């Protein structure tokens, strides 16, 4: 093999380190056998390097490629979609290592490595992932540098220093590009993450759903209020409205199931100053957004449905930031259309007869709908109902009957569902609302962190003259849940985050750990609002604030200007470095002479001796033959010959030489040519 | 000047046999004036042996020629003790090495064992046979020829032995004009009679030696020399840089070259002129570098600044 094509040992070591560093963040998502491929590839390449095994033959490679694709297909059931594609890429990455024998292979591998760094962000844009990616980029760059360091037969840790320095030098440019470079809309879309579980609330609710969601300590969203944070008992984050019950499953009305006239939300009269806040949601792969009662948003891509929910047109595949204005006291839907009244009182024709009967009985005992609500809540309160995360499974038909009259153990969705069922049985318009309730206030940056275990379901009842009124049956059973949150409510049971024994949230009682967790969360908020959330609008705002109006010309000027600002200091420091060597006085004079010649386009090559340079110069500029010859002779005499008595002392010779150089002022090229012509 | 004339006539004499190779002839003379051994390396039939014979003749030295073959033994070069039945004792029969100029033809066709027998002789001017050290005549030169190492049936000279040759020359193909002249001469049958004559006497050799010792090497020049040497040791292209012995050889040759050109001081051109011959066989390219010793010398010539530090 051509020596130039060889991969130095140092580079090989770095490439292998890269390989494992790059796959590490993906490891949890990949099938185990892909990781095994990595280990095999590593061992194989190592044995090749040691001369024990040989590179795979063509058919072996074909077989490996084919079986890897087949393996991905079998593991994921498809080859299309984000996870299978990334898994395929990562497997190919490992297999490429086995056949890495030449420089060009290494280039392919390393440039692919940069791409793999990027794929990580398709799954998470977390601050830690970003830090890890910085490390990975450094490693890949190090391997690339090592590839260009010939003669490194030993592993050399110093290479990473060089690579880090290079990357640090690139940081200013990176910032410029981040802040100033135009952000285009997506030129293509990545395949949807078909294999990631959709997180958070789902679009339907059956008994046990919210309880299982409450086992998770993940963050659902973070909220920053502009003013003071309202009390926790007021923080009902509406996400979904379930108006339809079918086979014990509550679900929302689809967009096209609502008649055209009902598709737009009715006008709501608002009074007083709104509660302003902004929300950064974690990706859910779903399209609903959360907000307090009567929420309006001016953020792009946030829409409002006829049941006053906020939603986004597409699923949330990345962190999403939007701001909301809420009027907690506004009354929504003061009058109810016939269609809606029908939709919100509809029940399955059969089933849960005992519940229906109980409802009718209770309704007949009171004079108004509001009293009816109180009666049911009072019943929840007085009867021995238990609010628990472990309600036990309900099976078969008549689940509401089973809950109300037999088990009497339930989580919020059981109470909300039973409550709405009873309301509707008595002909009162009511619906289930799902979302989150409460949240944790982070004193570090004054945000409200809403976790998955804050998931909650409650009810809304339409009362004549008041519109939709929020009723939370859970509050009647366990007031602690609303006042203090799930952890307090479940203290006796000990079931809070029982499935996640190591979650940092379980150690809230350790002040140091809790402080660290909250500080990290504050950092995450900052990261999400400043870096991840820095989109085209925010870029525009920022540039507008500094430069006034924005036009294409200004944009280009800023971009180029900032590049110049960043690069000029680098250039200057590079120029400076050259001038630091001590030079003898005659060499200095000679270099002045060389500088003058360089201005005429005659640059002395490093390996060119004064004599050779003079010869070349005379051939180019015969006009100055005499001067050139004199300077070279004098310089040679001082620099190389023993200064002898006949020419005077060293000092005199140097003085003469200095004068000769000073007198020699060759004219610009044009002048030289003119002179040649005239003479 | 007299010295110049002597050298020029010697060059002319050799040049009459080996056409169009004046620079190589001058370098070869420079090597011998600097009291160094000379290695001539090129493909078969390029005039290696012709050059070495002509040099021997021009210098008027007593010379012997050994054709190195794979079955040559050290004793064949150094000499051997033979039992003399008449005297009933061993008497030493000196080998071909006991001469002023040894022409070792195709030195890399013999085994390392025999090659190394030359070593002591070349380094110290003496040989040790059967425990007895005998000194060689003075001056003692070795002019060796060899085929390129990649040719089959060769035992490459080890670095330690290459280092003992002050210079290595490559002759290269003749210039077309010189080649044409050669054809014409052969055609007219003039070549055979043209035996070279002695042009330089031993006394003149001594005069040259004295002249060389008086040549001045300035600080600037020594700086340049040091930069050259440092470059070979620091740059990644070099596996093995110039040894201190190599550096001294470079200085000696540059001084000799300056003296041969009638100068009392060394200029950088002198160093650059002798550099390929002195350095190319001492430099080893690193594994990642594609070029050979000549490419390294070229790199050295171009990259190392003559002026400034």
């Amino acid at each position: 093999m051509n020596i130039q094509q060889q991969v130095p040992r140092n580079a090989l070591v770095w490439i292998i380190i890269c390989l494992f560093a790059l796959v590490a963040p993906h490891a949890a998502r990949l099938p185990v056998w892909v990781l095994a491929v990595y280990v095999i590839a590593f061992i194989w390449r190592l044995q090749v390097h040691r001369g024990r095994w040989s590179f795979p033959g063509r058919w072996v490679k074909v077989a490996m490629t084919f079986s890897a694709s087949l393996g991905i297909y079998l593991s994921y059931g498809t080859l299309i979609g984000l996870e299978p594609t990334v898994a395929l890429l990562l497997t190919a990455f490992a297999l490429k290592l086995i056949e890495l024998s030449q420089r060009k292979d290494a280039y392919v591998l390393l440039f692919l490595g940069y791409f793999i760094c990027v794929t990580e962000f398709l799954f998470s844009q977390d601050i830690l992932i970003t830090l890890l990616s910085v490390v990975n980029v450094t490693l890949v760059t190090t391997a690339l540098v090592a590839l260009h360091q010939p003669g490194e037969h030993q592993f050399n840790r110093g290479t990473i220093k060089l690579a880090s320095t290079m990357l640090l030098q690139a940081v200013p440019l990176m910032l410029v590009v981040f802040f100033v470079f135009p952000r285009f809309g997506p030129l293509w879309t990545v395949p949807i993450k078909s294999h990631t579980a959709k997180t958070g609330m789902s679009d339907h609710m059956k008994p046990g759903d919210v309880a299982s969601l409450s086992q998770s300590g993940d963050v659902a969203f973070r909220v920053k209020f502009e003013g003071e944070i309202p009390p926790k008992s007021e923080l009902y984050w509406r996400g979904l409205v379930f108006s339809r019950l079918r086979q014990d499953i509550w679900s929302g009305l689809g967009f096209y199931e609502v008649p055209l006239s009902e598709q737009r939300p009715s006008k709501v009269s608002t009074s007083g100053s709104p509660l302003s806040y902004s929300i950064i949601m974690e990706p859910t792969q779903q399209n609903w957004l959360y907000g307090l009662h009567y929420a309006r948003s001016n953020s792009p891509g946030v829409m409002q449905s006829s049941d006053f929910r906020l939603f986004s047109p597409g699923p949330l595949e990345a962190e999403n930031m939007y701001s909301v204005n809420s009027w907690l006291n506004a009354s929504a839907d003061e009058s109810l259309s016939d269609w809606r009244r029908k939709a919100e009182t509809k029940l399955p024709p059969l089933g849960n007869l005992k519940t229906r009967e109980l409802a009718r009985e209770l309704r007949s005992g009171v004079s108004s709908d509001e009293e009816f609500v109180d009666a049911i809540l009072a019943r929840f309160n007085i009867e021995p109902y238990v609010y628990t995360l472990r309600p036990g499974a309900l099976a078969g038909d008549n689940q509401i009957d089973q809950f109300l009259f037999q088990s009497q153990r339930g989580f919020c969705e059981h109470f909300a569902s039973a409550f709405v069922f009873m309301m509707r049985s008595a002909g009162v318009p009511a619906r289930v609302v799902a979302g989150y309730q409460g949240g944790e206030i982070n004193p570090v940056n004054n945000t409200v962190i809403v976790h998955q275990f804050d998931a909650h379901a409650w009810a809304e009842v339409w009362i004549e003259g008041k519109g939709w009124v929020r009723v939370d049956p859970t509050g009647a059973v366990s007031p602690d849940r609303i006042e203090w949150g799930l952890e307090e409510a479940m203290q006796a049971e000990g079931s809070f985050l029982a499935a996640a024994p190591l979650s940092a949230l379980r150690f809230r009682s350790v002040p140091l750990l809790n402080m660290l967790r909250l500080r990290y969360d504050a950092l995450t908020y900052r990261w999400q609002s400043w870096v991840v959330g820095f989109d085209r609008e925010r870029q525009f705002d920022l540039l507008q604030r500094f430069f006034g109006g924005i036009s294409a010309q200004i944009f280009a000027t800023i971009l180029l200007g900032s590049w110049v600002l960043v690069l000029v200091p680098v250039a200057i420091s590079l120029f400076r470095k050259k001038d630091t060597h001590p030079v003898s006085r005659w060499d200095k004079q000679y270099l002045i002479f060389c500088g003058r010649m360089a201005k005429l386009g005659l640059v002395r090559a490093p390996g060119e001796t004064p004599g050779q340079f003079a010869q070349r110069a005379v051939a180019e500029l015969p006009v100055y033959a005499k001067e050139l010859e004199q300077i070279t002779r004098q310089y040679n005499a001082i620099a190389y010959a023993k200064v002898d008595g006949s020419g005077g002392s060293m000092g005199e010779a140097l003085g003469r030489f200095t004068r000769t150089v000073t007198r020699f002022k060759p004219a610009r090229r044009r002048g030289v040519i003119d002179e040649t012509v005239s003479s | 000047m007299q010295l110049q004339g002597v050298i020029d006539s010697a060059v002319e004499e050799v040049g009459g046999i080996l056409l169009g190779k004046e620079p190589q002839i001058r370098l070869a003379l420079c090597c011998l004036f600097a009291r160094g051994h000379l290695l001539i390396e090129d493909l078969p039939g390029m005039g290696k042996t012709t050059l070495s014979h002509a040099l021997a003749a021009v210098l008027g030295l007593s010379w012997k020629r050994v054709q190195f073959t794979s079955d040559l033994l050290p004793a064949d070069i150094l000499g051997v003790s033979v039992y003399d039945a008449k005297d009933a004792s061993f008497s030493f029969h000196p080998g071909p090495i006991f001469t002023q100029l040894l022409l070792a033809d195709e030195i890399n066709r013999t085994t390392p064992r025999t090659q190394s027998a030359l070593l002591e002789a070349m380094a110290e001017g003496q040989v040790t046979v059967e425990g007895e050290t005998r000194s060689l005549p003075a001056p003692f030169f070795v002019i060796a020829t060899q085929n390129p190492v990649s040719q089959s049936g060769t035992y490459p000279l080890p670095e330690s032995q290459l280092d003992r040759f002050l210079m290595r020359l490559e002759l290269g193909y003749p210039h077309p004009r010189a080649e044409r002249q050669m054809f014409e001469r052969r055609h007219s049958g003039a070549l055979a009679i043209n035996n070279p004559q002695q042009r330089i006497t031993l006394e003149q050799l001594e005069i040259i030696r004295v002249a060389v010792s008086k040549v001045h090497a300035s600080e600037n020049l020594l700086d340049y020399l040091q930069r050259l040497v440092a470059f070979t040791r620091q740059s990644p292209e070099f596996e093995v840089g110039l040894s201190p012995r190599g550096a001294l050889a470079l200085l000696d040759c540059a001084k000799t070259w300056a003296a041969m050109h009638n100068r009392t001081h060394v200029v950088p051109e002198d160093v650059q002129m002798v550099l390929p011959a002195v350095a190319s066989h001492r430099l080893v390219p690193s594994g990642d570098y594609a070029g050979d010793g000549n490419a390294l010398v070229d790199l050295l010539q171009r990259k190392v600044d003559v002026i400034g530090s």
Side-chain angles (χ1 to χ4, degrees):
Chain A
M1 192 200 311
N2 189 346
I3 288 170
Q4 270 183 318
Q5 279 296 325
Q6 276 177 2
V7 177
R9 184 180 304 177
N10 183 30
L12 187 63
V13 175
W14 279 111
I15 287 172
I16 290 171
I17 293 175
C18 276
L19 202 75
F20 284 101
L22 283 170
V23 80
H26 290 277
R29 279 189 295 272
L30 289 175
V32 179
W33 64 266
V34 174
L35 301 181
V37 169
Y38 271 79
V39 175
I40 292 168
F42 165 64
I43 294 173
W44 193 327
R45 189 61 185 83
L46 195 70
Q47 293 293 70
V48 169
H49 183 77
R50 295 173 66 207
R52 304 285 165 88
W53 300 358
S54 57
F55 286 107
R58 173 183 307 209
W59 289 109
V60 178
K61 282 196 254 187
V62 170
M64 284 197 295
T65 314
F66 182 74
S67 44
S69 315
L70 189 71
I72 299 287
Y73 182 78
L74 291 177
S75 299
Y76 288 95
T78 172
L79 281 177
I80 297 162
L82 188 59
E83 288 81 2
T85 323
V86 170
L88 201 60
L89 183 69
L90 284 166
T91 317
F93 193 57
L95 291 180
K96 184 75 191 168
L97 178 72
I98 304 181
E99 65 156 2
L100 176 100
S101 65
Q102 300 196 8
R103 228 165 236 273
K104 57 180 185 184
D105 299 324
Y107 284 123
V108 171
L109 200 70
L110 291 175
F111 290 130
L112 204 58
Y114 284 114
F115 187 74
I116 286 175
C117 274
V118 178
T119 60
E120 185 53 42
F121 290 115
L122 298 175
F123 296 98
S124 165
Q125 305 195 16
D126 192 75
I127 199 165
L128 287 178
I129 289 293
T130 310
L131 288 179
L132 194 67
S133 296
V134 169
V135 172
N136 283 348
V137 165
T138 313
L139 286 175
V140 177
T141 311
T142 306
L144 209 52
V145 170
L147 203 56
H148 289 261
Q149 286 181 321
E152 292 288 353
H153 298 298
Q154 298 298 319
F155 175 60
N156 183 0
R157 269 178 308 172
T159 313
I160 202 172
K161 259 195 213 159
L162 181 58
S164 312
T165 317
M166 287 163 68
L167 285 178
L168 277 180
Q169 285 166 342
V171 164
L173 274 188
M174 183 197 80
L175 291 177
V176 166
V177 172
F178 178 79
F179 283 111
V180 183
F181 199 77
R183 277 155 197 262
F184 306 109
L187 296 176
W188 72 93
T189 49
V190 286
I192 304 168
K193 289 176 241 179
S194 49
H195 289 266
T196 354
K198 299 184 174 185
T199 52
M201 288 286 175
S202 64
D203 59 351
H204 58 272
M205 184 186 85
K206 59 181 187 299
D209 273 0
V210 182
S212 69
L213 186 56
S214 294
Q215 299 291 344
S216 163
D218 292 344
V219 173
F221 51 90
R222 296 181 176 83
V223 191
K224 178 109 181 157
F225 283 94
E226 250 161 52
E228 254 181 47
I229 302 173
K232 269 189 190 180
S233 55
E234 284 299 315
L235 297 178
Y236 279 84
W237 306 102
R238 297 172 88 247
L240 287 147
V241 174
F242 298 138
S243 300
R244 179 168 51 196
L245 179 64
R246 228 180 245 169
Q247 289 164 340
D248 292 313
I249 295 175
W250 285 96
S251 58
L253 295 170
F255 189 73
Y256 296 104
E257 292 168 90
V258 180
L260 212 59
S261 56
E262 301 281 339
Q263 276 176 357
R264 307 194 60 186
S266 61
K267 194 156 166 45
V268 174
S269 61
T270 55
S271 60
S273 57
L275 201 56
S276 295
Y277 50 95
S278 60
I279 296 183
I280 300 181
M281 266 183 76
E282 296 288 320
T284 58
Q285 316 303 327
Q286 319 266 31
N287 70 344
W288 43 88
L289 307 170
Y290 294 90
L292 295 174
H293 174 66
Y294 195 57
R296 262 194 224 156
S297 174
N298 292 326
S299 299
V302 179
M303 301 165 87
Q304 199 182 38
S305 69
S306 58
D307 40 19
F308 310 106
R309 298 181 288 118
L310 299 178
F311 67 98
S312 113
L316 302 184
E317 286 178 14
E319 283 90 352
N320 185 22
M321 185 173 182
Y322 56 96
S323 44
V324 187
N325 284 336
S326 270
W327 289 264
L328 294 182
N329 295 321
S331 50
D333 267 350
E334 282 182 329
S335 64
L336 213 55
S337 71
D338 288 346
W339 175 84
R340 190 159 279 285
R341 180 181 286 275
K342 212 175 142 207
E344 307 287 18
T345 53
K346 195 174 171 194
L347 280 179
L350 298 172
N352 297 315
L353 296 176
K354 283 167 83 178
T355 310
R356 289 179 205 242
E357 196 160 322
L358 176 69
R360 280 195 285 272
E361 195 180 296
L362 284 175
R363 179 65 185 90
S364 58
V366 293
S367 55
S368 71
D369 288 350
E370 280 177 288
E371 281 172 46
F372 179 44
V373 168
D374 290 339
I376 297 177
L377 293 184
R379 187 184 153 81
F380 279 149
N381 196 345
I382 295 159
E383 298 265 323
Y385 285 102
V386 179
Y387 177 68
T388 173
L389 263 170
R390 297 161 178 161
L394 300 171
D397 301 332
N398 302 332
Q399 291 193 356
I400 295 178
D401 277 5
Q402 284 179 42
F403 163 66
L404 275 180
F405 300 103
Q406 287 165 29
S407 70
Q408 301 200 327
R409 293 167 61 81
F411 200 56
C412 53
E413 70 265 35
H414 298 87
F415 292 101
S417 163
F419 177 81
V420 172
F421 192 92
M422 284 161 85
M423 281 289 150
R424 288 191 175 188
S425 301
V428 182
R431 57 196 184 190
V432 177
V433 180
Y436 296 89
Q437 198 277 320
E440 180 188 20
I441 292 168
N442 187 349
V444 179
N445 59 350
N446 240 6
T447 52
V448 178
I449 312 165
V450 178
H451 296 95
Q452 294 297 355
F453 58 73
D454 290 315
H456 195 52
W458 60 95
E460 274 179 358
V461 182
W462 190 80
I463 306 284
E464 187 73 52
K466 287 189 179 173
W468 290 102
V469 173
R470 184 183 73 229
V471 178
D472 189 355
T474 308
V477 185
S478 169
D480 282 353
R481 166 67 182 89
I482 312 304
E483 263 339 289
W484 301 105
L486 188 67
E487 191 180 9
E488 293 290 320
M490 292 300 155
Q491 212 161 29
E493 195 175 90
S495 57
F496 177 70
L497 290 184
L502 285 178
S503 167
L505 287 158
R506 292 197 57 161
F507 301 102
R508 277 200 266 198
S509 52
V510 184
L512 182 69
L513 285 184
N514 198 36
M515 204 57 216
L516 280 178
R517 182 181 64 84
L518 289 172
R519 281 203 180 276
Y520 178 67
D521 196 88
L523 197 65
T524 305
Y525 180 83
R526 214 160 248 249
W527 174 253
Q528 288 182 344
S529 55
W530 282 99
V531 182
V532 180
F534 190 80
D535 54 10
R536 204 177 346 175
E537 283 77 24
R538 243 150 279 184
Q539 182 186 36
F540 234 77
D541 287 349
L542 185 81
L543 293 180
Q544 208 139 30
R545 202 185 315 160
F546 280 100
F547 302 102
I550 289 289
S551 66
Q553 285 93 329
I554 292 182
F555 222 110
T557 315
I558 294 169
L559 199 60
L560 291 176
S562 44
W563 280 52
V564 167
L565 270 184
V566 168
L567 288 177
V568 162
V570 176
I572 288 175
S573 73
L574 284 178
F575 269 118
R576 284 251 170 99
K577 239 176 213 169
K578 270 206 159 173
D579 268 348
T580 49
H581 304 291
V583 183
S584 64
R585 281 176 296 170
W586 50 90
D587 283 348
K588 208 170 187 170
Q589 289 299 324
Y590 188 76
L591 289 176
I592 291 174
F593 158 72
C594 286
R596 285 188 192 144
M597 295 304 285
K599 275 186 191 159
L600 301 184
L602 276 167
V603 181
R604 190 182 68 86
E608 215 169 6
T609 64
Q612 291 158 355
F613 181 55
Q615 250 180 13
R616 192 160 64 92
V618 168
E620 284 271 324
L621 303 170
V623 174
Y624 295 113
K626 215 181 97 205
E627 286 91 336
L628 289 169
E629 192 268 330
Q630 191 185 18
I631 285 173
T632 307
R633 185 162 38 77
Q634 287 183 344
Y635 174 74
N636 271 347
I638 298 171
Y640 299 114
K642 213 189 273 184
V643 175
D644 48 0
S646 64
S649 70
M650 181 75 183
E652 281 176 37
L654 181 58
R656 268 204 311 277
F657 178 54
T658 312
R659 282 194 295 281
T660 317
V661 170
T662 318
R663 270 204 306 273
F664 178 65
K665 291 215 170 75
R668 294 214 165 266
R669 215 147 227 223
R670 182 182 297 267
V672 173
I673 292 162
D674 292 347
E675 214 171 307
T676 323
V677 171
S678 61
S679 63
Chain B
M1 182 131 186
Q2 195 192 355
L3 202 57
Q4 185 91 26
V6 170
I7 294 168
D8 284 348
S9 73
V11 171
E12 200 177 310
E13 191 68 27
V14 181
I17 308 262
L18 194 69
L19 299 174
K21 292 286 169 205
E22 199 193 312
Q24 282 88 342
I25 296 166
R26 277 190 189 276
L27 278 170
L29 284 172
C30 171
C31 175
L32 298 180
F33 293 154
R35 304 275 146 140
H37 306 294
L38 177 64
L39 179 66
I40 307 172
E41 177 181 314
D42 220 312
L43 294 164
M46 303 292 275
K48 301 186 290 286
T49 312
T50 313
L51 173 60
S52 52
H53 284 203
L55 282 172
V58 162
L59 290 171
L61 300 170
S62 72
W63 57 275
K64 282 178 182 151
R65 174 167 181 267
V66 181
Q67 180 70 39
F68 280 54
T69 57
S70 56
D71 56 356
L72 196 77
L73 293 174
D76 297 333
I77 303 172
L78 303 181
V80 67
S81 289
V82 178
Y83 184 71
D84 192 339
K86 206 161 57 181
D87 295 353
S89 67
F90 285 94
S91 64
F92 181 71
H93 285 231
I97 199 162
F98 288 89
T99 181
Q100 287 175 317
L101 176 56
L102 179 71
L103 303 179
D105 250 347
E106 309 207 40
I107 191 173
N108 60 342
R109 283 194 56 207
T110 192
T111 53
R113 184 178 170 214
T114 313
Q115 287 171 358
S116 68
L118 265 179
L119 226 107
E120 188 195 7
M122 285 169 64
E124 293 160 32
Q126 59 183 24
V127 291
T128 306
V129 184
E130 286 154 18
E132 201 180 322
T133 304
R134 297 161 206 269
S135 46
L136 297 171
F140 173 70
F141 298 118
V142 173
I143 299 180
T145 70
Q146 72 166 356
N147 296 325
V149 177
S150 55
Q151 294 234 319
S152 61
T154 58
Y155 297 89
L157 288 175
E159 272 95 6
S160 61
Q161 206 151 354
L162 275 177
D163 203 26
R164 297 189 192 261
F165 287 101
L166 185 63
M167 281 191 187
R168 185 188 66 172
L169 290 177
E170 285 169 24
L171 293 177
Y173 293 111
H175 190 274
R177 206 181 306 137
E179 204 161 29
R180 185 58 168 263
Q181 201 181 347
M182 193 179 77
F183 293 158
E184 282 162 2
R185 270 205 211 173
R186 166 59 62 92
H187 188 63
S188 61
L191 192 62
I193 23 166
N194 205 348
N195 271 333
Q197 303 298 308
Q198 178 180 11
R199 295 293 171 157
I200 300 174
T201 63
L202 271 181
E203 291 75 45
Q204 283 166 327
L205 258 184
E206 190 57 30
I207 291 170
I208 292 171
R209 205 175 65 80
V210 171
V212 169
S213 68
K214 284 184 181 159
V215 168
H216 171 69
S218 70
E219 294 286 318
N220 268 52
L221 195 275
L222 296 181
D223 284 347
Y224 175 50
L225 206 61
Q226 274 197 310
R227 280 198 294 278
L228 281 173
V229 174
F231 187 82
T232 67
R233 295 170 190 169
Q234 286 160 3
S235 269
E237 290 88 353
F238 297 82
E239 174 79 46
V240 177
L242 274 183
S243 64
R245 179 160 59 197
L248 284 175
L250 192 54
L251 178 59
D252 286 347
C253 289
K255 282 170 76 170
T256 311
W257 191 263
M260 283 170 73
H261 292 81
N262 212 5
R263 246 180 286 108
T264 54
H265 62 270
V266 188
V267 292
E269 282 90 338
D270 297 329
V271 179
Q272 294 196 349
M273 279 308 293
V274 299
L275 187 67
V278 176
S280 71
H281 62 295
R282 296 172 205 259
L283 296 172
V284 180
S286 71
D288 297 318
Y289 188 70
D292 57 358
N294 289 326
L296 287 177
V297 169
D298 187 48
L299 195 72
L300 208 54
Q301 297 248 26
R302 281 187 291 111
K303 285 282 177 71
V304 179
D305 204 335
V306 178
I307 295 159
S309 47

